[in-house]
Amino acid sequence: MELRTMRYFLAAAREENMTRAAELLHVTQPTLSKQLKALEDELGKKLFTRHSFSIQLTEEGVLLRKRAEDLIKMADKITTEFLALDDVLGGDVYFGLAESYQIRYLASAIRMFKKTYPDLHYHITSGDTEQVTEKLDKGVIDFAVLAQEPNTAKYHYLTFPAADLWGVVMPDNCKLAEKKSISVEDLIGLPLFCSEQGWKNDISKWCGNYMDKLHLEGSFRLSYNGSLFVKEGLGYLLTFQHLIDTSLDSKLIFRPLTPKLETNIHLIWKKYQVFTPIAERFLEMLKLNFGHAF
């Protein structure tokens, strides 16, 4: 299975049309069709359903698309890393980020770093712990930012200078908004929204024996999406402070949980990771600014 074939497959999957894909790849349509048929024969699975003027991925094709995208990203990253080995002033660094207000520290560090290394190019992808650690393990990204304790058997880490504060986002005209802070008793019987990760880890520890009395109405990987449901009066969002606009015009309000619940944010990288020179320099600067690495 060659990388070129994977690129052919991804182009056809994106365009859903052999003619357009062949034009983008600068090959003839018969050449593209032959390569894709050979790939199907190699895998022993049908990857496309062919129609008169279009093609559509089968279930097996959808699975291969995700794997192929990661494979191509990794191959491109390796190529970029080798090209950057002699470039001491620039290069590419890849991050996978959780949703957190503390990302501001990372953004500030990148801003300062670019003053010395103006040819730094940084690439950001977002997701929960499962999503970003998967990319880190595959070598698609250099660093991940987690909103939970790292697996120290697999990763080194730096802890961000500040923690995120948990609270409830709700309509500013609801009865609960009259309170200055929200206890677990206040939440009993209410439809609640939260990330699945936060619900299982942070909230379950915070509420203790009351967990079975709380009702998770729905889970969201992005707090912003949850806030839209709150605006429609469908429930209350458990999330970090500062992630949702709660200005006067938003008609939403944030109230912290009591007792206070905070989550530390960590930057992690694989043990025995071999970095490009620019990524190594960036990590050294972070260690100076964030403190001791574990």
Side-chain angles (χ1 to χ4, degrees):
M1 190 180 302
E2 298 181 358
L3 285 174
R4 181 182 62 181
T5 306
M6 289 294 97
R7 295 185 192 276
Y8 285 179
F9 167 76
L10 287 175
R14 285 193 298 267
E15 296 301 318
E16 297 184 340
N17 182 283
M18 285 287 196
T19 302
R20 288 201 301 269
E23 290 174 352
L24 288 173
L25 293 166
H26 304 291
V27 299
T28 64
Q29 184 173 332
T31 297
L32 177 59
S33 297
K34 182 179 179 181
Q35 291 288 330
L36 295 180
K37 181 64 170 62
L39 179 61
E40 290 179 322
D41 292 342
E42 181 180 354
L43 296 174
K45 298 291 183 181
K46 189 176 181 180
L47 302 175
F48 294 96
T49 300
R50 291 158 174 84
H51 305 290
S52 298
F53 300 101
S54 66
I55 54 176
Q56 185 177 4
L57 287 174
T58 62
E59 290 185 8
E60 293 81 2
V62 172
L63 175 62
L64 180 61
R65 179 176 184 169
K66 184 178 187 304
R67 297 290 182 262
E69 286 173 341
D70 286 341
L71 183 64
I72 293 301
K73 285 179 182 178
M74 190 184 311
D76 290 343
K77 184 172 180 290
I78 291 171
T79 300
T80 301
E81 286 175 345
F82 272 86
L83 290 173
L85 287 177
D86 296 325
D87 185 359
V88 296
L89 295 179
D92 295 78
V93 182
Y94 297 80
F95 300 90
L97 307 181
E99 222 184 357
S100 168
Y101 182 59
Q102 311 315 321
I103 297 298
R104 71 190 194 275
Y105 289 108
L106 180 64
S108 177
I110 290 174
R111 177 182 57 79
M112 290 188 294
F113 191 75
K114 279 183 70 68
K115 291 180 179 179
T116 305
Y117 301 97
D119 291 330
L120 166 71
H121 301 285
Y122 54 93
H123 309 267
I124 305 296
T125 183
S126 299
D128 59 18
T129 295
E130 180 183 356
Q131 291 171 318
V132 297
T133 54
E134 180 184 7
K135 292 183 182 297
L136 184 64
D137 292 342
K138 289 180 178 179
V140 176
I141 59 177
D142 300 302
F143 303 100
V145 174
L146 307 183
Q148 70 178 58
E149 290 300 313
N151 179 352
T152 55
K154 296 176 63 176
Y155 309 115
H156 293 297
Y157 69 93
L158 284 167
T159 300
F160 278 64
D164 275 305
L165 178 68
W166 279 90
V168 184
V169 172
M170 65 192 86
D172 60 6
N173 60 356
C174 71
K175 188 70 175 176
L176 202 59
E178 297 175 5
K179 301 178 68 70
K180 292 185 177 180
S181 60
I182 307 300
S183 69
V184 64
E185 291 86 356
D186 295 324
L187 300 177
I188 294 174
L190 297 180
L192 303 175
F193 301 120
C194 187
S195 69
E196 186 175 345
Q197 176 182 316
W199 184 260
K200 289 181 177 179
N201 297 325
D202 302 83
I203 299 302
S204 64
K205 293 177 183 177
W206 172 75
C207 67
N209 295 331
Y210 285 90
M211 190 65 179
D212 59 353
K213 296 182 180 181
L214 299 185
H215 170 60
L216 182 64
E217 178 76 6
S219 60
F220 294 87
R221 289 192 171 185
L222 296 176
S223 292
Y224 174 75
N225 289 344
S227 72
L228 298 179
F229 281 63
V230 174
K231 283 188 175 183
E232 293 297 326
L234 294 171
Y236 300 78
L237 176 64
L238 294 163
T239 188
F240 294 155
Q241 189 178 23
H242 302 301
L243 293 185
I244 303 302
D245 176 19
T246 54
S247 61
L248 289 176
D249 293 337
S250 72
K251 298 183 179 180
L252 296 176
I253 199 165
F254 177 90
R255 290 289 183 259
L257 297 178
T258 183
K260 180 189 290 187
L261 176 63
E262 292 182 318
T263 295
N264 287 318
I265 307 301
H266 309 280
L267 179 104
I268 69 170
W269 62 96
K270 289 190 298 184
K271 287 189 173 182
Y272 314 111
Q273 172 87 2
V274 179
F275 288 117
T276 60
I278 195 71
E280 186 71 47
R281 287 174 172 82
F282 182 73
L283 178 58
E284 291 304 315
M285 189 199 72
L286 284 181
K287 289 178 180 179
L288 290 174
N289 284 273
F290 284 18
H292 183 64
F294 297 91

